[in-house]
Amino acid sequence: MKHWFKSIENDVAGTSYSLDKVIAELNFDADGLIPVIAQDEKSMKVLMFAWMSKESLDETLRTGKMCYWSRSRQGLWRKGSSSGHSQTVKSIAADCDGDVLLAEVSQVGFACHTRRHSCFYLRFWEDKVTLIE
Amino acid sequence: MKHWFKSIENDVAGTSYSLDKVIAELNFDADGLIPVIAQDEKSMKVLMFAWMSKESLDETLRTGKMCYWSRSRQGLWRKGSSSGHSQTVKSIAADCDGDVLLAEVSQVGFACHTRRHSCFYLRFWEDKVTLIE
């Protein structure tokens, strides 16, 4: 499955491939999903982690707005469609074995459903975990 | 499964919980694993994405060095144990539903097995994907 990504890993910086080819080689899991990390393009904070199906990735690339796959609702999750807290895509990258995506986004409002900027607000410190936001 | 994280989401910033309690409530998946995002503490670049078991998380917290779970080898993956490219933990955070971890690390050498700083070196841009590192 991961042979194509292996085959290009020694290519030099600046080498390009067709987007269609890379998407066709991405390693979606047994449920047809790929993990996605969303990072704020300005603060560089990691905002959230979610999943995309092929369909939601296609929509994201077509519209420039992050569209995830909701595993609980088993449907497209157009981020911000009810809350208004949408994410505009600034860039997307795939990792070395093509099984994770990283999106830099411009976030309107809050990434987290709790109205915090980032979902990662539970900080481990020594023998405690503290709400940092 | 996620009731505990739900129950604390309206607590105020600064509230603390016992680390043991939070770890006991983390939502490891059906394989006993939790996704982990590693971010460089200085550059804020997302370096890699991997998985931890309860055992590897315990070791990471005990030693202060990132220890993942290798799904391909089905064993503990002490990052850098053969390459020397280890990661010292600066902080760890859990997300709002306790099913993802984010680690800020100090990276020795390269995070990626391809000797690139980050695994996310395949940048999507219009109809192409380009090696950016």
Side-chain angles (χ1 to χ4, degrees):
Chain A
M1 276 289 278
K2 298 182 176 178
H3 290 177
W4 186 79
F5 287 92
K6 189 83 189 158
S7 76
I8 63 158
E9 70 180 33
N10 293 319
D11 289 355
V12 296
T15 305
S16 288
Y17 317 92
S18 124
L19 177 62
D20 290 345
K21 171 67 177 171
V22 173
I23 291 176
E25 296 288 346
L26 284 177
N27 292 298
F28 291 89
D29 70 11
D31 297 320
L33 302 178
I34 191 167
V36 183
I37 303 160
Q39 183 174 29
D40 188 282
E41 55 140 1
K42 289 217 179 68
S43 70
M44 300 285 276
K45 272 192 183 171
V46 174
L47 298 174
M48 57 180 282
F49 171 91
W51 300 81
M52 282 187 182
S53 62
K54 171 75 166 57
E55 184 186 1
S56 61
L57 175 59
D58 288 345
E59 176 165 322
T60 298
L61 292 171
R62 194 174 63 247
T63 63
K65 299 279 184 183
M66 293 294 279
C67 173
Y68 301 99
W69 180 261
S70 167
R71 294 186 303 171
S72 54
R73 289 188 290 100
Q74 287 289 303
L76 291 175
W77 171 21
R78 295 180 177 97
K79 178 73 180 156
S81 66
S82 55
S83 65
H85 297 166
S86 62
Q87 298 174 329
T88 301
V89 181
K90 296 298 174 176
S91 77
I92 292 185
D95 78 334
C96 52
D97 48 8
D99 61 3
V100 187
L101 298 176
L102 172 66
E104 286 184 15
V105 304
S106 173
Q107 174 74 53
V108 175
F110 307 103
C112 187
H113 76 284
T114 65
R115 299 181 65 84
R116 292 178 175 93
H117 289 93
S118 162
C119 292
F120 294 92
Y121 54 77
L122 282 158
R123 174 76 55 92
F124 293 26
W125 183 255
E126 296 182 347
D127 62 344
K128 297 269 186 244
V129 175
T130 303
L131 284 180
I132 57 169
E133 194 183 336
Chain B
M1 274 287 279
K2 297 180 176 177
H3 291 177
W4 186 79
F5 287 92
K6 189 82 189 158
S7 76
I8 64 157
E9 69 182 31
N10 294 320
D11 289 356
V12 297
T15 307
S16 288
Y17 317 93
S18 126
L19 176 63
D20 289 346
K21 172 67 176 170
V22 174
I23 291 176
E25 295 289 346
L26 284 177
N27 292 299
F28 291 90
D29 71 10
D31 296 320
L33 302 178
I34 191 167
V36 183
I37 302 160
Q39 183 174 29
D40 188 282
E41 54 139 2
K42 289 216 180 69
S43 70
M44 300 284 277
K45 273 191 182 172
V46 174
L47 297 173
M48 57 181 281
F49 171 91
W51 299 81
M52 282 187 182
S53 62
K54 171 76 167 55
E55 184 186 2
S56 61
L57 174 59
D58 287 345
E59 177 165 322
T60 296
L61 292 170
R62 194 173 65 247
T63 63
K65 299 279 185 181
M66 293 294 279
C67 174
Y68 301 99
W69 180 261
S70 168
R71 295 186 304 170
S72 54
R73 288 188 290 99
Q74 287 290 304
L76 292 174
W77 169 21
R78 297 179 175 95
K79 178 71 180 158
S81 66
S82 54
S83 65
H85 297 167
S86 62
Q87 296 173 331
T88 301
V89 180
K90 295 299 172 174
S91 76
I92 292 185
D95 77 336
C96 52
D97 49 7
D99 61 4
V100 186
L101 299 175
L102 171 66
E104 287 185 15
V105 304
S106 173
Q107 174 73 54
V108 175
F110 307 102
C112 186
H113 76 284
T114 65
R115 299 181 66 82
R116 293 178 175 93
H117 289 92
S118 162
C119 293
F120 294 92
Y121 55 76
L122 281 158
R123 175 75 56 92
F124 292 26
W125 183 256
E126 296 182 347
D127 62 344
K128 298 269 185 241
V129 175
T130 302
L131 286 178
I132 57 169
E133 194 183 337

